[in-house]
């Protein structure tokens, strides 16, 4: 899943500041179940941030079935 920088900033603005950790090229959303890591994408022509969190969550749920 990828979002533009603007869309990601809007999403992050909904979260408490203590739930977001940043470093250059990487944003981590601290969650109770599992953290979601967003990284700046080099694959897109425009400025986008991507995460594998939805795919990792689906795999984790499948493993628990």
């Amino acid at each position: 899943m990828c979002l533009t920088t603007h869309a990601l900033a809007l999403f992050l603005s909904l979260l408490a500041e203590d739930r977001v950790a940043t470093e250059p090229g990487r944003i981590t959303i601290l969650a109770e179940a599992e953290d979601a890591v967003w990284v700046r994408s080099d694959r897109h022509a425009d400025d986008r941030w991507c995460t594998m969190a939805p795919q990792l969550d689906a795999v984790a749920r499948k493993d628990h079935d």
Side-chain angles (χ1 to χ4, degrees):
M1 164 193 259
C2 296
L3 297 174
T4 63
T5 298
H6 180 73
L8 181 59
L10 288 173
F11 171 62
L12 294 175
S13 73
L14 300 172
L15 304 175
E17 287 183 30
D18 64 341
R19 299 305 241 168
V20 180
T22 62
E23 56 189 84
R26 182 181 172 113
I27 298 171
T28 303
I29 299 173
L30 309 170
E32 290 180 23
E34 189 170 336
D35 295 346
V37 177
W38 290 81
V39 294
R40 186 180 302 266
S41 175
D42 294 332
R43 293 183 173 206
H44 295 89
D46 57 353
D47 193 25
R48 291 189 183 235
W49 291 79
C50 300
T51 185
M52 292 293 293
Q55 292 89 338
L56 296 173
D57 184 53
V59 169
R61 276 190 260 133
K62 189 174 186 178
D63 288 344
H64 290 295
D65 291 341

